[in-house]
Amino acid sequence: MKEFKCDILIVGSGLTGLVSAYALSLLGYKIIITEQKKAKKNEKFLVDTRTTAIAEGSKVFLEQIGLWNKISKFTEKIKNIEVIDRSKTNKINFFNNNKNKNLGYVVKNLKLEKIIRSCLIKRKNVIFFYDSRFLSAEYNVDKIIGVFKNKKIISSILLATDGKNSAVRKNFNTLTFNKNYRESALVLNFFHTKKHNNTAYEFFYKSGPLAILPMQSENLNFQSSIIWSNDKKYLSSLVLQNEKLLNDILEENIGSVVGKIKKINSKQIFTLSSHINDKFYEKRVLYIGDSAHSIHPIAGQGWNLGLRDIKKLYNLAKEVKKIGITIGSKKFCKDYNENCYYDAFRLYQITDKLNLFFKSNSFISNNFRSLGFDFIEKNNFIKKQITNFAMGFN
């Protein structure tokens, strides 16, 4: 079995793994990033048709590490957010007065991944190993050894960026707290007749939230993305039915803001669940992004939360590099955990409780939400606090 050595071993080459590798490569670490799938030339590595909502705070970090200038031209700005509960009269309008900042940006996952991969390929201190399924990990004094089906990789630290069903997490039996929402999310991109005016919408129905994110126009067609949480069987039956029925039901829910649906370009259904690890580290192992936590998409903050993990890891690695300490010590891993855990736990709880609160259809809940919406809409201070939170500055 072949052996390879590096400073940092990253297991999982999704968006979180790619950004982690790129950021840390800027600090001079030798990095190996592994992927279970085979790399195939001239074929799309990813078939994910979803979009990513990038918060302003995440954009600032991407600027800091030199990625944003390559990503920005493929994004659509979110300048306003309208939150609507049941009735069109019961709504809150969020906007940002700073003309140099936006509430967020929307980009296709495929485009985002392609850009970051192309940047990483140019980094001489980063090596990709495809067709490398993680099997286990071993320790040797001050090193961790990742064992794969045809190789061993020796490093100072292992970063688990292999998603919600992390093989690394299972290997170490790291405890998790899980929530199954018993519902799914329908994600689709579509052309429509009305301009979106850089406005994102969040409709709250008793069946679950429906979010609309503005996308870049294509071939002079206005385009948006929908994330609709609902009963799994209901969504599956809609997708299997003829497209006209799906269009009619969607237009009934969102036609007032985007007009008629001209064409549905892609659609996927994902089971909704959330989890949080009891800790984000083991000996010489850190969990980043979905391997550490996953949240309900109600606030559109899942990837941004993972990016905040990367930012905190990057800043810690920068500090130890400066004073000449080897990355991956017990203190280093504990510091990462302490810096990241509260932020993730807070958002895990907030999104879970918000989903529960907005799905409630009791008389008391409906009236309480109505009063709350009216109060927030008229209170600019509270609106600013919520806006800053959505932008990733709280």
Side-chain angles (χ1 to χ4, degrees):
M1 186 176 285
K2 289 185 178 180
E3 289 189 356
F4 301 86
K5 294 181 179 180
C6 62
D7 299 313
I8 301 171
L9 167 60
I10 300 178
V11 177
S13 70
L15 286 172
T16 300
L18 295 174
V19 178
S20 298
Y22 186 82
L24 294 169
S25 75
L26 300 178
L27 301 177
Y29 291 107
K30 183 180 178 182
I31 297 167
I32 292 178
I33 181 168
T34 66
E35 170 57 54
Q36 185 170 323
K37 297 176 184 176
K38 294 180 181 179
K40 296 181 180 179
K41 293 181 180 180
N42 303 319
E43 289 187 24
K44 289 181 178 178
F45 189 79
L46 184 72
V47 293
D48 189 354
T49 61
R50 290 175 293 179
T51 56
T52 292
I54 302 173
E56 182 70 27
S58 298
K59 172 224 171 186
V60 171
F61 175 62
L62 292 171
E63 277 182 325
Q64 181 186 350
I65 61 175
L67 285 176
W68 184 250
N69 63 328
K70 299 172 179 65
I71 296 168
S72 60
K73 63 183 177 182
F74 299 103
T75 66
E76 187 70 8
K77 297 172 182 176
I78 301 176
K79 296 181 178 179
N80 308 286
I81 298 175
E82 286 193 15
V83 180
I84 303 162
D85 179 44
R86 308 294 198 273
S87 167
K88 294 174 187 176
T89 59
N90 198 24
K91 66 180 181 179
I92 306 172
N93 296 292
F94 293 101
F95 57 90
N96 179 42
N97 287 320
N98 189 332
K99 293 181 180 179
N100 296 319
K101 295 180 180 179
N102 294 288
L103 298 179
Y105 307 82
V106 179
V107 61
K108 287 183 177 180
N109 285 11
L110 271 173
K111 179 59 70 174
L112 186 57
E113 175 161 343
K114 185 177 180 181
I115 291 168
I116 302 170
R117 281 183 185 277
S118 65
C119 292
L120 266 177
I121 289 169
K122 298 173 185 175
R123 305 294 302 174
K124 293 181 180 179
N125 55 334
V126 178
I127 299 171
F128 277 91
F129 282 147
Y130 295 102
D131 193 21
S132 297
R133 184 167 68 90
F134 175 82
L135 299 176
S136 63
E138 305 168 352
Y139 292 104
N140 182 7
V141 191
D142 60 348
K143 299 292 182 181
I144 184 167
I145 304 168
V147 181
F148 299 81
K149 68 176 184 179
N150 53 5
K151 64 179 74 72
K152 287 186 176 184
I153 302 174
I154 304 164
S155 65
S156 297
I157 192 169
L158 186 157
L159 307 183
T161 61
D162 52 344
K164 288 174 75 170
N165 298 312
S166 170
V168 176
R169 191 179 65 227
K170 290 173 183 175
N171 175 83
F172 287 97
N173 295 314
T174 306
L175 295 177
T176 62
F177 304 97
N178 304 284
K179 177 110 185 210
N180 185 344
Y181 291 104
R182 296 181 182 176
E183 58 189 30
S184 293
L186 171 63
V187 180
L188 55 85
N189 301 334
F190 66 105
F191 293 146
H192 47 85
T193 56
K194 284 186 181 180
K195 284 185 178 180
H196 52 56
N197 296 315
N198 298 101
T199 300
Y201 298 89
E202 183 105 31
F203 294 88
F204 288 108
Y205 301 113
K206 63 181 180 180
S207 57
L210 187 157
I212 309 174
L213 300 176
M215 295 175 64
Q216 284 190 338
S217 298
E218 288 185 15
N219 302 319
L220 301 179
N221 288 301
F222 306 127
Q223 186 175 198
S224 293
S225 177
I226 282 177
I227 304 96
W228 185 14
S229 302
N230 210 314
D231 178 76
K232 183 177 182 179
K233 289 183 179 178
Y234 176 68
L235 291 178
S236 297
S237 66
L238 276 183
V239 170
L240 291 172
Q241 297 288 342
N242 64 70
E243 199 159 284
K244 185 179 183 307
L245 178 61
L246 178 58
N247 286 6
D248 289 344
I249 291 174
L250 286 172
E251 284 176 5
E252 184 181 337
N253 286 282
I254 64 171
S256 60
V257 295
V258 295
K260 294 284 185 182
I261 294 174
K262 294 171 70 174
K263 182 185 177 184
I264 293 176
N265 300 314
S266 65
K267 49 182 180 281
Q268 291 176 285
I269 292 179
F270 299 89
T271 300
L272 288 182
S273 63
S274 64
H275 84 282
I276 188 164
N277 297 5
D278 73 329
K279 58 181 178 178
F280 293 170
Y281 75 102
E282 297 289 349
K283 182 182 176 183
R284 295 198 173 273
V285 174
L286 296 182
Y287 298 109
I288 303 172
D290 282 355
S291 68
H293 46 70
S294 60
I295 60 176
H296 194 284
I298 192 169
Q301 291 295 317
W303 193 66
N304 293 290
L305 182 59
L307 210 59
R308 296 208 287 270
D309 291 346
I310 300 169
K311 179 181 178 180
K312 289 163 185 172
L313 171 61
Y314 172 79
N315 289 334
L316 277 173
K318 196 174 183 179
E319 286 179 19
V320 300
K321 186 79 172 179
K322 191 184 296 182
I323 58 179
I325 298 175
T326 303
I327 193 170
S329 67
K330 186 176 182 179
K331 183 179 184 308
F332 182 88
C333 293
K334 279 190 170 183
D335 285 348
Y336 168 80
N337 183 75
E338 289 174 6
N339 288 347
C340 296
Y341 200 89
Y342 171 74
D343 189 24
F345 183 78
R346 176 182 63 163
L347 207 50
Y348 171 79
Q349 292 289 353
I350 288 172
T351 52
D352 179 62
K353 301 306 179 287
L354 275 177
N355 179 60
L356 186 65
F357 175 65
F358 278 104
K359 284 182 72 174
S360 175
N361 204 40
S362 69
F363 176 79
I364 294 174
S365 295
N366 288 339
N367 276 281
F368 187 76
R369 284 197 306 270
S370 182
L371 290 170
F373 266 57
D374 185 60
F375 177 73
I376 293 172
E377 177 64 15
K378 293 175 181 177
N379 191 311
N380 287 329
F381 176 78
I382 293 178
K383 283 175 73 173
K384 186 176 181 180
Q385 296 303 307
I386 296 172
T387 299
N388 285 339
F389 182 82
M391 293 170 69
F393 292 129
N394 271 349

